Amino acid sequence: MKNSHSESYAAAGVDVTAGYEAVERIKPMVESTYTPGVMGALGGFGGLFAPDLVGMKKPVLVSGTDGVGTKLKIAMLLDQHNTIGIDCVAMCVNDIVCGGATPLFFLDYIACGKNYPTRIASIVEGVAEGCRQAGCALVGGETAEHPGMMADNDYDLAGFAVGMVDEEKIIDGSRLADGDVLIGLGSTGVHSNGFSLVRKVLDVEHADLTSPREELGGVSLGQALLTPTRIYVKAVKALLEGGVDIHAISHITGGGFYENVPRMMREDLTARIQLDTFPRPAIFDVIQKAGNIPERDMYNTFNMGLGMVLALPAAQAGTALELLRAADQSAWQVGSVVPGNGGVELV
């Protein structure tokens, strides 16, 4: 790569040397995520990983892919790019832990109008931090310049995670039962969903994003919106290792409660969630007031304070809450599973 340079390609808008500089900047960050299964070094054509299969009867790979969406616009407006990667990792690993899987490794993809190595390094700094929080390795990625297709300062970020679970330990909702309790795990705010609505009602391109706001506890609007998505891997792992028999898990993402909770339900059961059992972060009140958004639409778009909902036997509710709090995860008993039609009731 030391001799790699194309004047013609650079004239077309792609600077390959900037890509090499970015790789050098991110190398220590990537290596900080390495777990025992990582093989090879950064820069190969594929990321190598040797999973530990000891004790597994029939290992099953679980994969997930996602992006950050238009929350990226907030990062661009604030010129703060070192946390958005946490969101990208979270959106992928939180999905795969719903099946009971442990994340093994992650890859990212950054598309940009122009490769600014320091900004790419800042983005990957967040990705690496997300991987450390999730306990998975960042084994590779790709940065692609798209001149003429994206503005110089624009970029998009997506990722891909792979986890593993023993087949007999897959969490798929099949063991849900009438009387199971629902445990809600606290979110850090809006997470990474609903930002097209957020940006519209708050008019973020013209809003004051940097001044402290009393209704947000002294935090600025920009920082409240940019707060990274909570990663729930360690919380779920604490429950499983503590012997809690989790019957189903729902990651509350785009579509809110009405779209995501039914995805974990059996057709003959309904999740009944009591809205007065968990706190509602102030940022949702700010959004609702600014857009005069109906209450149902709020719960059909945002997580409203719960980033994940788990169903488990009622007899284990107390143990589960103790384990979660010991793992530094806010959690509440928010409802129960009742006979129904596979949906969700908010009461």
Side-chain angles (χ1 to χ4, degrees):
M1 292 191 297
K2 293 180 180 179
N3 296 322
S4 176
H5 178 70
S6 170
E7 295 289 348
S8 299
Y9 209 8
V14 178
D15 184 358
V16 293
T17 58
Y20 304 148
E21 180 184 344
V23 169
E24 288 303 309
R25 287 176 179 269
I26 69 176
K27 188 175 181 180
M29 305 173 198
V30 173
E31 291 177 345
S32 74
T33 72
Y34 282 179
T35 58
V38 175
M39 301 174 64
L42 182 68
F45 288 98
L48 304 177
F49 192 91
D52 181 3
L53 304 180
V54 175
M56 287 217 169
K57 296 178 181 178
K58 189 174 181 181
V60 176
L61 295 179
V62 183
S63 58
T65 185
D66 210 336
V68 183
T70 62
K71 183 174 183 175
L72 290 173
K73 277 294 184 182
I74 310 298
M76 294 175 193
L77 289 168
L78 292 173
D79 194 24
Q80 181 179 329
H81 311 282
N82 64 336
T83 62
I84 206 75
I86 300 174
D87 293 282
C88 189
V89 175
M91 297 306 294
C92 297
V93 298
N94 285 346
D95 276 353
I96 67 176
V97 299
C98 288
T102 297
L104 299 176
F105 58 85
F106 185 86
L107 293 94
D108 62 48
Y109 177 80
I110 304 169
C112 57
K114 183 175 177 61
N115 187 331
Y116 297 106
T118 55
R119 190 171 68 172
I120 296 300
S122 185
I123 295 168
V124 176
E125 178 185 345
V127 175
E129 172 59 23
C131 287
R132 288 191 293 269
Q133 290 183 23
C136 65
L138 177 56
V139 297
E142 175 71 12
T143 300
E145 282 186 284
H146 291 167
M149 188 172 177
M150 302 175 73
D152 282 358
N153 284 317
D154 281 350
Y155 68 90
D156 196 9
L157 173 64
F160 175 84
V162 173
M164 186 169 62
V165 61
D166 209 343
E167 185 178 42
E168 64 182 19
K169 296 181 180 179
I170 292 174
I171 298 172
D172 60 5
S174 61
R175 293 183 298 112
L176 273 170
D178 179 14
D180 279 356
V181 298
L182 299 175
I183 302 294
L185 307 187
S187 73
T188 50
V190 185
H191 283 183
S192 301
N193 304 104
F195 270 86
S196 294
L197 178 58
V198 169
R199 289 171 44 242
K200 177 183 178 181
V201 301
L202 296 179
D203 190 19
V204 295
E205 281 79 5
H206 304 99
D208 178 359
L209 297 178
T210 58
S211 297
R213 294 184 58 156
E214 183 178 352
E215 66 271 39
L216 295 175
V219 174
S220 70
L221 179 60
Q223 289 307 307
L225 294 175
L226 204 55
T227 301
T229 304
R230 180 80 188 223
I231 292 177
Y232 296 106
V233 174
K234 292 181 179 179
V236 173
K237 186 177 180 180
L239 292 178
L240 295 174
E241 291 181 347
V244 175
D245 183 21
I246 304 174
H247 289 173
I249 305 178
S250 176
H251 182 200
I252 311 302
T253 56
F257 290 78
Y258 288 104
E259 180 174 319
N260 291 290
V261 175
R263 294 168 67 180
M264 77 173 186
M265 300 305 298
R266 280 183 9 204
E267 292 184 359
D268 59 334
L269 297 171
T270 288
R272 181 173 292 159
I273 296 176
Q274 297 172 262
L275 300 183
D276 61 356
T277 56
F278 60 94
R280 172 170 163 160
I283 185 62
F284 295 113
D285 294 327
V286 172
I287 295 168
Q288 184 174 23
K289 182 179 179 180
N292 192 28
I293 302 171
E295 191 80 349
R296 192 188 189 286
D297 286 358
M298 292 295 292
Y299 284 92
N300 208 157
T301 306
F302 304 109
N303 68 66
M304 302 305 289
L306 297 184
M308 192 163 274
V309 174
L310 299 80
L312 46 93
Q316 294 188 327
T319 299
L321 291 172
E322 289 178 6
L323 288 168
L324 288 166
R325 288 162 186 163
D328 198 28
Q329 172 62 59
S330 57
W332 307 271
Q333 185 171 328
V334 299
S336 60
V337 175
V338 298
N341 58 4
V344 60
E345 297 176 358
L346 305 184
V347 298

